[in-house]
Amino acid sequence: MDVNAAVAAASAIVGLCTGVIGVLAFRWSERDQARPTRTSLHTGDVLPPGVDTVLSVLSSSAVVLDESDSVVKASSAAYALGLVRGGKLAVEPMLHMARDTRRDGEIRQVELDLPRRGTGRGEALAVSARVAPLGSRLVLLLVEDLTEARRIEAVRRDFVANVSHELKTPVGALSLLSEAVMDASDDPEAVTRFAGRMQIEATRLTNLVQELIDLSRVQNDDPLEDAEPVRVDVLVAEAIDRCRHQAGTKHITMAAGGTADLHVWGNRSQLAAALGNLVENAVNYSPARTRVGIAARRASAPGGDFIEIAVTDQGLGISEKDRERIFERFYRVDPARSRATGGTGLGLAIVKHVAASHGGEVTVWSSEGQGSTFTLRLPEAGATRNGRSRKDPGPDVVDVDDDQPYATFLSADPIPAPEVLP
């Protein structure tokens, strides 16, 4: 009996202690829940009414700081730019601005270059920061990303500078040649020679102005407004006819091949200009007595079928460093050779814009000493894709071997062969 009584007494004591601990824990939990947290301060107790809603619809990166420089509210864009880390404003110049504004209440604005988050390169992020007081204790920081705007402005400045230079060259040459003609008025042979040079410079100036007009048109016009199904065979034939004389002069054979009866959707004049530029470049930069191949095929993609039109030459090829820039306006791999062939440096830029505006792309494969292949990739016309035979898609003679992607193009029968001039 004494043992049983002792056990019962011990159990009662343990139960009493457990009950006391439970009551204390419950009261502590209630008091902790009633205490204001940082989250509750962020949502409604600190921010003035309506401010949270306004900040949520702003396109700018927004950060609200309290009197201790802690972040009360920050938009997702602010985190993406790396402005806020660990609940603190991570950009020291902006933090100093916020403190000065909290002290005197004045609105401040500054433009800064910030390191790009997540990259090891020295690329800078251009931003405009504006700080203003928000109530009596808070400070609002708005940050605009100016990187893309600055890039566009730099491209525009470079374009204007390049256009001025390119126009000045033939105009200056025409001015000097005209003076030479006047001075050599009594020498018919010299007049004939200078007049021939004037014709060359005038042609170069005309081509440059026309390509500037074409580039402006493809950048500003929406090709889908006048879009229609365009036969690839017709585009290839027009490109070959456009370059027939140049090819014949250099004894270059142009060969057309690939899948027949393909259609793309877009603006016919723009597509013809783009493909014509690719073929013309291939002819101009190919040695004499070589071949230029134009071949088309259908390629499947998750979003729908594409048509790939490849233009291949047997020229000197393009180095890797030049391949990264050949689609830039006025960029030439060999400026001296480009001027000798009458190139303006705008042809590939026009091709790039036409491909992009039609929902496609242009790519280049090249190996120095072996040649180059430019591939224009465009969405297939929907009507043609839905109506073609699934059993017989047609022969596909396009070789896509990465090592020799142009071999099959160049082995195709010349259709049609250019007339070889004596």
Side-chain angles (χ1 to χ4, degrees):
M1 289 295 294
D2 293 338
V3 174
N4 292 336
V7 171
S11 299
I13 293 173
V14 171
L16 179 62
C17 293
T18 302
V20 171
I21 293 173
V23 170
L24 292 176
F26 178 74
R27 291 185 177 275
W28 182 273
S29 176
E30 283 187 333
R31 185 169 58 183
D32 188 62
Q33 291 178 2
R35 182 183 304 163
T37 62
R38 174 173 294 185
T39 303
S40 64
L41 288 175
H42 291 181
T43 55
D45 294 339
V46 173
L47 291 179
V51 173
D52 192 21
T53 303
V54 173
L55 295 181
S56 64
V57 299
L58 287 177
S59 59
S60 307
S61 302
V63 180
V64 179
L65 304 175
D66 61 13
E67 64 273 12
S68 62
D69 292 333
S70 297
V71 175
V72 176
K73 176 73 176 180
S75 63
S76 57
Y79 286 99
L81 289 178
L83 304 179
V84 178
R85 296 175 188 173
K88 295 289 185 180
L89 187 61
V91 183
E92 197 66 26
M94 295 183 186
L95 187 58
H96 290 316
M97 288 174 57
R99 291 170 179 170
D100 294 339
T101 297
R102 186 184 300 112
R103 184 179 62 254
D104 56 24
E106 292 186 4
I107 298 176
R108 289 175 169 81
Q109 184 170 353
V110 68
E111 292 188 1
L112 301 170
D113 290 332
L114 306 178
R116 191 180 293 271
R117 188 177 182 183
T119 62
R121 296 171 293 180
E123 299 178 352
L125 200 66
V127 298
S128 173
R130 186 178 180 86
V131 181
L134 184 64
S136 58
R137 298 184 299 115
L138 304 180
V139 173
L140 173 63
L141 171 67
L142 296 177
V143 179
E144 292 281 353
D145 187 355
L146 304 178
T147 307
E148 184 64 15
R150 284 191 178 180
R151 186 191 68 81
I152 294 174
E153 182 60 29
V155 170
R156 184 180 293 109
R157 285 197 308 269
D158 292 342
F159 180 71
V160 172
N162 288 329
V163 167
S164 302
H165 174 73
E166 295 295 333
L167 289 175
K168 184 172 66 175
T169 301
V171 170
L174 286 172
S175 177
L176 293 175
L177 288 170
S178 64
E179 293 179 3
V181 169
M182 294 178 62
D183 294 338
S185 58
D186 56 347
D187 187 352
E189 184 179 347
V191 170
T192 301
R193 184 172 66 254
F194 291 141
R197 289 296 306 169
M198 291 179 68
Q199 287 183 341
I200 294 174
E201 295 299 333
T203 301
R204 178 179 299 166
L205 181 60
T206 301
N207 293 338
L208 176 58
V209 172
Q210 183 59 50
E211 289 199 342
L212 286 172
I213 295 173
D214 293 340
L215 180 60
S216 176
R217 182 180 296 115
V218 300
Q219 285 181 310
N220 296 329
D221 292 349
D222 183 2
L224 299 182
E225 290 183 357
D226 301 321
E228 59 179 337
V230 181
R231 287 190 58 184
V232 175
D233 296 341
V234 174
L235 296 177
V236 173
E238 290 182 2
I240 290 176
D241 288 339
R242 170 177 168 178
C243 304
R244 185 181 299 275
H245 177 72
Q246 298 96 308
T249 302
K250 299 174 66 175
H251 301 274
I252 292 176
T253 301
M254 288 186 289
T259 306
D261 196 28
L262 297 176
H263 292 72
V264 294
W265 185 264
N267 184 290
R268 174 175 174 172
S269 62
Q270 291 190 15
L271 294 173
L275 183 58
N277 285 346
L278 291 180
V279 177
E280 187 174 15
N281 278 356
V283 172
N284 287 338
Y285 291 93
S286 291
R289 303 186 185 281
T290 56
R291 293 170 67 94
V292 170
I294 308 101
R297 72 164 187 167
R298 180 182 295 112
S300 298
D305 289 351
F306 278 79
I307 302 300
E308 294 182 349
I309 310 172
V311 179
T312 303
D313 63 63
Q314 295 175 313
L316 298 178
I318 307 170
S319 65
E320 184 177 355
K321 66 180 181 64
D322 289 320
R323 286 199 298 270
E324 299 176 356
R325 301 190 58 190
I326 56 175
F327 294 103
E328 295 180 10
R329 303 165 186 170
F330 298 109
Y331 183 79
R332 300 182 180 94
V333 175
D334 186 351
R337 188 178 181 189
S338 295
R339 287 190 170 87
T341 59
T344 62
L346 289 175
L348 291 180
I350 293 175
V351 175
K352 179 181 177 181
H353 281 290
V354 170
S357 63
H358 282 75
E361 62 177 350
V362 59
T363 58
V364 58
W365 177 95
S366 186
S367 178
E368 292 186 82
Q370 298 187 44
S372 305
T373 297
F374 286 84
T375 303
L376 189 60
R377 195 166 185 258
L378 300 166
E380 185 177 11
T384 304
R385 182 169 63 249
N386 295 333
R388 72 170 186 265
S389 171
R390 294 290 182 179
K391 296 181 181 179
D392 184 14
D396 190 351
V397 300
V398 178
D399 185 6
V400 294
D401 185 359
D402 289 338
D403 295 330
Q404 296 289 337
Y406 54 88
T408 305
F409 302 161
L410 299 179
S411 65
D413 293 333
I415 309 172
E419 178 183 358
V420 179
L421 302 179

